[in-house]
């Protein structure tokens, strides 16, 4: 009986770890997209400033 509870607890822990990894991966993807967008906006702003200066 005890080993059954241990196996169930282990399976649940493994599932939670998998969920945590997926959430972390999703969060990293969102952050990367955000940073990419900010970098693109900064590059566009620099191009505008350069175009005005010339």
């Amino acid at each position: 009986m005890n080993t059954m509870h241990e196996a169930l607890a282990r399976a649940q822990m493994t599932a939670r770890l998998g969920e945590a990894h997926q959430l972390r991966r999703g969060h990293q993807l969102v952050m990367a997209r955000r940073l990419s967008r900010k970098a693109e906006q900064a590059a566009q702003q620099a191009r505008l400033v350069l175009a005005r200066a010339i």
Side-chain angles (χ1 to χ4, degrees):
M1 187 68 153
N2 196 22
T3 56
M4 194 168 76
H5 290 301
E6 287 176 12
L8 181 59
R10 201 172 290 120
Q12 287 177 339
M13 186 177 69
T14 303
R16 298 291 175 268
L17 282 172
E19 290 173 9
H21 285 299
Q22 285 180 345
L23 286 173
R24 197 173 304 127
R25 199 173 304 128
H27 180 70
Q28 288 173 345
L29 189 62
V30 167
M31 292 303 292
R33 283 184 183 148
R34 229 176 256 160
L35 288 174
S36 176
R37 206 173 312 129
K38 282 186 177 183
E40 187 57 43
Q41 288 173 348
Q44 180 66 29
Q45 188 68 28
R47 283 192 290 271
L48 284 172
V49 168
L50 184 63
R52 287 182 186 142
I54 295 178

